[in-house]
Amino acid sequence: MSPRAACRLETLGFTGVHDYVLGKADWLAHGLPTEGTQANVPRAKDLLREDVVTARLDEPAGTIRPRVARSPYGFAFVLADDGTLLGRLRKTALEGDPNAAAQDVMEPGPSTVRADSKLEQLVARMRRHDLQTMVVTTPEGRLLGVVRRADAERRLGAGDPHV
């Protein structure tokens, strides 16, 4: 809302009023709460999993490998200090030199989607590319987590091939 409208609401006694300058599309892409007729449409944010392994650019592969082995996923994400997603480390990349830095063995720039992506479209994309997980980031590229295809299919109707 506009700064004037936010100010007026505060003068009327409302608390927690925000002047969100970036707009509705940015709000939705960050996975923030929504209202209205489209609020119940299943989206990536509804099934977001944060249980992913993360690593620093300079972290040795040998320290990341055991965390990935214990993870339900076959990869780790390499993040900048501010949480920006820089790359993905697959198990195979971690099998080499244990002293190799993550930045030297990562796949840069994995494909991502936003938190407001509709599950129906997300599942179609995952099926088309035979993906089991999809990475979700903010518009600034900060990692939010992953959506698993099996979870999305279950949410949309137990694997309907036309979803």
Side-chain angles (χ1 to χ4, degrees), residues 53-59 64 76-80 83-89 101-103 105-107 110 143:
V53 175
T54 62
R56 298 179 324 275
L57 278 168
D58 62 350
E59 192 169 349
I64 305 164
F77 293 120
V78 181
L79 306 180
T84 300
L85 177 63
L86 300 173
R88 179 186 356 235
L89 288 165
Q103 65 187 340
V105 294
M106 72 179 190
E107 298 171 1
L143 178 67

Coordinates of all heavy atoms in Angstrom, one line a residue, residues 53-59 64 76-80 83-89 101-103 105-107 110 143:
V53 N 21.1 -29.7 2.5 CA 22.5 -29.5 2.9 C 23.0 -28.2 2.2 O 22.8 -28.1 1.0 CB 23.4 -30.7 2.6 CG1 24.8 -30.4 3.0 CG2 22.8 -31.9 3.3
T54 N 23.6 -27.4 3.0 CA 24.3 -26.2 2.4 C 25.7 -26.2 2.7 O 26.2 -26.8 3.7 CB 23.6 -24.9 2.9 OG1 23.7 -24.8 4.3 CG2 22.1 -24.8 2.5
A55 N 26.5 -25.4 1.9 CA 27.9 -25.4 2.1 C 28.4 -24.0 1.7 O 27.8 -23.3 0.9 CB 28.6 -26.4 1.2
R56 N 29.6 -23.6 2.2 CA 30.3 -22.4 1.8 C 31.1 -22.6 0.6 O 31.5 -23.7 0.3 CB 31.1 -21.9 3.0 CG 30.4 -21.6 4.2 CD 31.4 -21.1 5.3 NE 32.7 -21.8 5.3 CZ 32.9 -23.0 6.0 NH1 31.9 -23.6 6.6 NH2 34.1 -23.5 5.9
L57 N 31.4 -21.6 -0.1 CA 32.3 -21.6 -1.3 C 33.6 -22.3 -1.0 O 34.1 -23.1 -1.8 CB 32.5 -20.2 -1.9 CG 31.5 -19.7 -2.8 CD1 31.8 -18.2 -3.0 CD2 31.4 -20.4 -4.1
D58 N 34.2 -22.0 0.1 CA 35.6 -22.5 0.4 C 35.6 -23.8 1.2 O 36.6 -24.3 1.6 CB 36.4 -21.4 1.2 CG 35.8 -21.0 2.5 OD1 34.6 -21.5 2.8 OD2 36.4 -20.3 3.3
E59 N 34.4 -24.3 1.5 CA 34.3 -25.5 2.3 C 34.9 -26.7 1.5 O 34.5 -27.0 0.4 CB 32.9 -25.8 2.7 CG 32.8 -26.8 3.8 CD 31.4 -26.8 4.4 OE1 30.5 -25.9 4.1 OE2 31.1 -27.8 5.1
I64 N 31.7 -31.9 3.4 CA 30.3 -31.8 2.9 C 29.8 -33.2 2.6 O 28.6 -33.5 2.8 CB 30.2 -31.0 1.6 CG1 30.8 -29.6 1.8 CG2 28.8 -30.9 1.0 CD1 31.2 -28.8 0.6
A76 N 24.1 -31.0 -2.4 CA 24.2 -29.9 -1.4 C 24.1 -28.6 -2.2 O 24.4 -28.6 -3.4 CB 25.5 -29.9 -0.6
F77 N 23.8 -27.5 -1.6 CA 23.8 -26.2 -2.3 C 24.9 -25.4 -1.7 O 25.1 -25.3 -0.5 CB 22.4 -25.5 -2.1 CG 21.3 -26.1 -2.8 CD1 20.2 -26.6 -2.0 CD2 21.3 -26.3 -4.1 CE1 19.1 -27.2 -2.7 CE2 20.2 -26.9 -4.8 CZ 19.1 -27.4 -4.0
V78 N 25.6 -24.7 -2.6 CA 26.6 -23.8 -2.2 C 26.0 -22.4 -2.2 O 25.4 -21.9 -3.1 CB 27.8 -23.8 -3.2 CG1 28.9 -22.9 -2.8 CG2 28.4 -25.2 -3.3
L79 N 26.2 -21.7 -1.0 CA 25.6 -20.4 -0.7 C 26.6 -19.4 -0.4 O 27.7 -19.7 0.2 CB 24.6 -20.5 0.4 CG 23.5 -21.5 0.4 CD1 22.7 -21.4 1.7 CD2 22.6 -21.4 -0.8
A80 N 26.3 -18.1 -0.8 CA 27.1 -17.0 -0.4 C 26.8 -16.7 1.1 O 25.8 -17.3 1.6 CB 26.8 -15.8 -1.3
G83 N 23.2 -16.0 1.8 CA 22.2 -17.0 1.5 C 21.9 -17.1 0.0 O 21.0 -17.9 -0.4
T84 N 22.6 -16.4 -0.8 CA 22.3 -16.4 -2.3 C 22.9 -17.8 -2.8 O 24.0 -18.2 -2.5 CB 23.1 -15.3 -3.0 OG1 22.5 -14.1 -2.5 CG2 22.9 -15.4 -4.5
L85 N 22.0 -18.4 -3.6 CA 22.4 -19.7 -4.2 C 23.4 -19.5 -5.3 O 23.1 -18.8 -6.3 CB 21.1 -20.4 -4.7 CG 21.3 -21.7 -5.4 CD1 21.9 -22.8 -4.5 CD2 20.0 -22.2 -6.0
L86 N 24.6 -20.2 -5.2 CA 25.6 -20.0 -6.2 C 25.8 -21.3 -7.0 O 26.2 -21.2 -8.2 CB 26.9 -19.7 -5.5 CG 26.9 -18.4 -4.7 CD1 28.2 -18.2 -3.9 CD2 26.7 -17.2 -5.6
G87 N 25.5 -22.4 -6.4 CA 25.7 -23.7 -7.2 C 25.2 -24.9 -6.4 O 24.7 -24.8 -5.3
R88 N 25.3 -26.0 -7.1 CA 24.9 -27.3 -6.6 C 26.0 -28.3 -6.6 O 26.8 -28.3 -7.6 CB 23.7 -27.9 -7.4 CG 23.3 -29.2 -6.9 CD 22.2 -30.0 -7.8 NE 21.7 -29.2 -8.9 CZ 20.5 -29.0 -9.2 NH1 19.5 -29.4 -8.3 NH2 20.1 -28.4 -10.3
L89 N 26.1 -29.1 -5.6 CA 27.2 -30.1 -5.5 C 26.5 -31.5 -5.5 O 25.8 -31.8 -4.5 CB 28.0 -30.0 -4.2 CG 28.9 -28.9 -4.0 CD1 29.3 -28.7 -2.6 CD2 30.1 -29.1 -4.9
A101 N 37.8 -27.4 -2.9 CA 36.8 -26.4 -2.4 C 35.5 -26.6 -3.1 O 35.5 -26.9 -4.3 CB 37.3 -25.0 -2.6
A102 N 34.4 -26.3 -2.4 CA 33.1 -26.5 -3.1 C 33.0 -25.7 -4.4 O 32.4 -26.2 -5.3 CB 32.0 -26.0 -2.1
Q103 N 33.5 -24.5 -4.4 CA 33.5 -23.6 -5.6 C 34.2 -24.2 -6.8 O 33.8 -23.9 -7.9 CB 34.0 -22.2 -5.3 CG 35.5 -22.2 -5.0 CD 35.9 -20.8 -4.5 OE1 35.3 -19.8 -4.8 NE2 37.1 -20.8 -3.8
V105 N 34.2 -27.6 -7.5 CA 33.5 -28.8 -8.0 C 32.0 -28.6 -8.1 O 31.3 -29.6 -8.5 CB 33.9 -30.0 -7.1 CG1 35.3 -30.4 -7.1 CG2 33.5 -29.8 -5.6
M106 N 31.5 -27.4 -7.8 CA 30.0 -27.2 -7.9 C 29.6 -27.0 -9.4 O 30.4 -26.6 -10.2 CB 29.6 -26.0 -7.1 CG 30.0 -24.7 -7.6 SD 29.5 -23.4 -6.6 CE 29.8 -21.9 -7.6
E107 N 28.3 -27.2 -9.6 CA 27.7 -26.8 -10.9 C 27.1 -25.5 -10.6 O 26.2 -25.3 -9.8 CB 26.5 -27.8 -11.2 CG 27.0 -29.2 -11.4 CD 25.8 -30.2 -11.5 OE1 24.6 -29.7 -11.5 OE2 26.0 -31.4 -11.7
P110 N 22.2 -23.4 -10.6 CA 21.1 -24.3 -10.9 C 19.8 -23.6 -11.2 O 19.6 -22.5 -10.8 CB 21.0 -25.1 -9.6 CG 21.6 -24.3 -8.6 CD 22.6 -23.4 -9.2
L143 N 18.3 -18.8 -1.3 CA 17.7 -20.1 -1.2 C 16.5 -20.2 -0.2 O 16.7 -19.8 1.0 CB 18.7 -21.2 -0.8 CG 18.2 -22.6 -0.7 CD1 17.8 -23.2 -2.0 CD2 19.3 -23.5 -0.1

